[in-house]
Structure formats: structure tokens, C-alpha cells
Amino acid sequence: MSTKILSIETSCDETSVAIVVDGREVLSNVIASQIDVHQLYGGVVPEIASRQHLGHISFVVGQALSQAKLSLQDITAVAVTQGPGLVGSLLVGLCYAKGIAFGRRLPLIGVHHLEGHLYANFLLSTPPTFPLVCLVVSGGHTDLIYMRRHGHYRLLGRTRDDAAGEAFDKIARVLNLPYPGGPHLERLAATGAPTIPFPRARLEAGSLDFSFSGLKSAVLNHIHNSQQRGEELFPAAVAASFQAAVTEVLVEKSIEAALTTGVRNLCLAGGVSANSALRSAMGQAAQAHGLQLFVPGVELCTDNAAMIGAAAYYRWRAGAASDAELNAQAMLPLINWAVDSGDNSA
Ligand code: KG4
Ligand code: ZN
């Protein structure tokens, strides 16, 4: 019999509920965005985000069930993002998930948000095989993760300061672009040329860590200096040059991670992987090195519940369900749940 997981994601400013069958087939993936509300403040206001989740969650659960043409009686298990994220936002999804699970006596599966992003790759019609390296690049993380099998994660490198998405959002803000800055900056970059030689932080030889704070300062200095000298600023060139600098380092380190670990499968995940310059640069580099690149569809790169349902399926299959003590955690490390005899099949 098939496993139908109802999954809930409320870690930041999207209320999302999905129904995923056997970790592969997405029957529905409803996303209620709060962008309009937070745009007024130039970023996510945590208190407003949790109240918005409260207002949306029942409706979004109903929509996800009706789009999937299912009722709660058909659901096998309930999954929810446990963390990391905004704790007030996480709690809304978590309490709702617990309510459904206990009310209907269903298993409850807590999922790590990054694990969800990573598992968006397993929703592809041809999912990756193990071992693989995944670049998870979002508003809060820039991590290179090695996976030997399901539920087995080894961190190869991470940002030492800003996440790439955070850098996109900060630069977009000083260029007076609306929140969330990443997609707006990408559109502006497409109208300019990468003519400004912003720095690329490669760090010490052999390190797979990232650093974007130097690049961010260089871009801010460039903008302030032009203003002070009364020179004309070319925002499209700034955006294109910034994007090129971020993309170059992300691609270089991802390829290095794949080559040094000897894997042939490279995956991309997280909101910044919606960026078409990054997708195409990574595609070209992967091909040049004989690597197979996996990239989720754009709608599955940014926050959504289908990715949580996909990750939950593999946890559930391995018997790694949660108990009534499951709690929201703003800071949550990505820990291995694979047992030693773990399952390598996709
Ligand atoms: O994964 P995500 O939706 O939420 C987090 O887990 O953080 O990622 C959001 C981040 C934001 O920083 C947003 O600006 C960035 O992803 N982002 C992009 C693009 N789309 C979203 N950055 C660059 N180009 C894009 N097209
Ligand atoms: Zn995310």
C-alpha cells in the first residue's frame, strides 16, 4: 500500500502544506506566501509571520487535501519542519501537525529544514543515486553536504559568515530592490554586464568553506564611493558583478567537493538555487568535469512542504518517526538518523 504523507512547512514566511506519495509523487503542494505583508518592512517580521501562519494554516491544509482529492482518513503519516527557523512560525506548523497526528492516531515525523531542501532532489523524475554531494544554498545556509546514503550527512564546508541568500538580500536592499531581494537582483543582473572585479573569497587551500562578508563590504564600498564622488552608479552592473562573484565561488567549491570525495552526483538545493545564472554555471562546470547535476524545479527550490514530505518518507521508511516530545528548535543541527545497515536505494 502506498504511503501518503501530509507535510507542513512554516519555518519562515511561507505557510505550505503538501501531500506526497511514497516520497516521489506530489499530489498537492500549496503555498500561502506572506511576501506582500513583510515587503512593507523590507524583511520578515517574526511576530507578524507567526500570526499570518495561524491565520492561514487551516485553510492551506484544507486546500492541500482537496487538491489531492483526499481526506484525512487517507493519510498515512504527518510530517512537519522541526527547525531551524523562526521559533514562533515553526510552532504554528508543529502544533497543527501534532493536533492532526494525535487526533487521527497517525505517526508524526519531524524533519530538518535543510534535509527538506536536499530531498527536493528526490522528487525529480530521475532522482540522484548515492554517494552524492549537495550544495544547500538558502537565506540562512550555504553548506556543502556529502551523503553516503539516506539519512547520512557529512558537512564538507559551510559559510563562515553570511549565507549566500543573505548576501543577495542585503545587496538588493542597498540597491533599493524589494524584499525578498534575490529574485529581484537576478532580474536586474540580467540587464547588466559583470564589469566590476569584486573579490572572490577562496579561503585557505583545500578549504570547502565559504565567506561572503568581504564581497558584501566591497559592493557596499563601491556604492558609497560612487555616491560620495558624485559618479554615476550602474546598478545593473553592480548586480551582475556581485552575482558573478557569488556564483563563481559556489560553483568552484561544489566541483572541488565532488572531485575530492570522488562522487559523480552533484545536487543543488535551497532558495538561491532558483537563480538561473547559478543553475547554468553549475550545469556547465558539472558537464566539463563529467559530473551528473541534479537541480529541483524552481518552485521546489524555495520553501515548500513537498520537500518536507519527501524527506519524511525516507525517515518513516527507516523507522525514524518522532514522539510526542517533538519540539520546535530555532537552531537545529542536521544529525544523521541512518542506522548502520541503512538503505541506499533511492
Ligand atoms: O530556501 P529559502 O526559500 O528560505 C530559506 O530557507 O532561507 O531561500 C530564500 C533565499 C532568500 O535569500 C532569497 O533572496 C533567495 O533564497 N533567492 C534567490 C533567488 N530566489 C530566492 N537568490 C538569488 N536568485 C534567485 N532567483
Ligand atoms: Zn528554506
Side-chain angles (χ1 to χ4, degrees), residues 258-281:
L259 297 182
T260 52
T261 52
V263 311
R264 309 311 303 161
N265 296 320
L266 179 61
C267 300
L268 257 183
V272 181
S273 57
N275 184 280
S276 40
L278 175 62
R279 293 164 86 93
S280 87

Side-chain angles (χ1 to χ4, degrees), residues 43-258:
V44 178
V45 183
E47 172 67 20
I48 296 178
S50 14
R51 286 174 188 274
Q52 290 275 317
H53 285 306
L54 267 179
H56 291 157
I57 186 89
S58 290
F59 178 75
V60 179
V61 169
Q63 286 285 103
L65 285 166
S66 80
Q67 285 184 18
K69 299 189 173 52
L70 295 177
S71 74
L72 280 178
Q73 274 103 313
D74 304 307
I75 299 300
T76 319
V78 182
V80 65
T81 307
Q82 182 192 356
L86 301 172
V87 79
S89 292
L90 288 164
L91 277 168
V92 175
L94 192 98
C95 291
Y96 208 93
K98 276 189 176 179
I100 301 177
F102 298 130
R104 299 222 49 93
R105 296 180 196 283
L106 294 172
L108 177 68
I109 308 159
V111 174
H112 191 285
H113 183 74
L114 283 198
E115 180 176 45
H117 275 304
L118 208 153
Y119 270 86
N121 283 281
F122 288 86
L123 291 170
L124 287 164
S125 52
T126 309
T129 52
F130 297 111
L132 61 84
V133 164
C134 185
L135 173 70
V136 187
V137 67
S138 68
H141 291 83
T142 304
D143 290 358
L144 274 166
I145 296 168
Y146 171 86
M147 273 183 90
R148 186 151 49 91
R149 58 171 181 260
H150 288 297
H152 186 282
Y153 309 105
R154 181 152 62 86
L155 185 66
L156 302 173
R158 67 185 335 165
T159 181
R160 294 183 185 175
D161 39 60
D162 290 354
E166 197 180 349
F168 264 94
D169 293 345
K170 285 179 180 167
I171 299 305
R173 203 169 167 156
V174 293
L175 292 173
N176 294 319
L177 298 172
Y179 164 84
H184 293 281
L185 194 142
E186 177 183 352
R187 279 194 282 280
L188 179 61
T191 66
T195 48
I196 310 162
F198 290 134
R200 274 80 167 142
R202 295 200 163 80
L203 306 175
E204 60 281 3
S207 172
L208 292 172
D209 281 351
F210 301 94
S211 168
F212 296 107
S213 63
L215 168 62
K216 189 184 68 190
S217 304
V219 179
L220 295 178
N221 286 341
H222 174 88
I223 295 171
H224 293 152
N225 290 342
S226 321
Q227 283 163 349
Q228 271 173 1
R229 292 191 203 117
E231 291 167 2
E232 189 178 355
L233 181 73
F234 297 96
V238 173
S241 307
F242 163 79
Q243 182 174 266
V246 175
T247 302
E248 194 177 306
V249 178
L250 291 176
V251 170
E252 256 180 45
K253 300 250 172 186
S254 303
I255 299 291
E256 191 182 337

Side-chain angles (χ1 to χ4, degrees), residues 9 11 113-114 117 138-139 270-271 301-303 307:
E9 151 64 39
S11 66
H113 183 74
L114 283 198
H117 275 304
S138 68
C301 287
T302 45
D303 290 349
M307 66 187 197

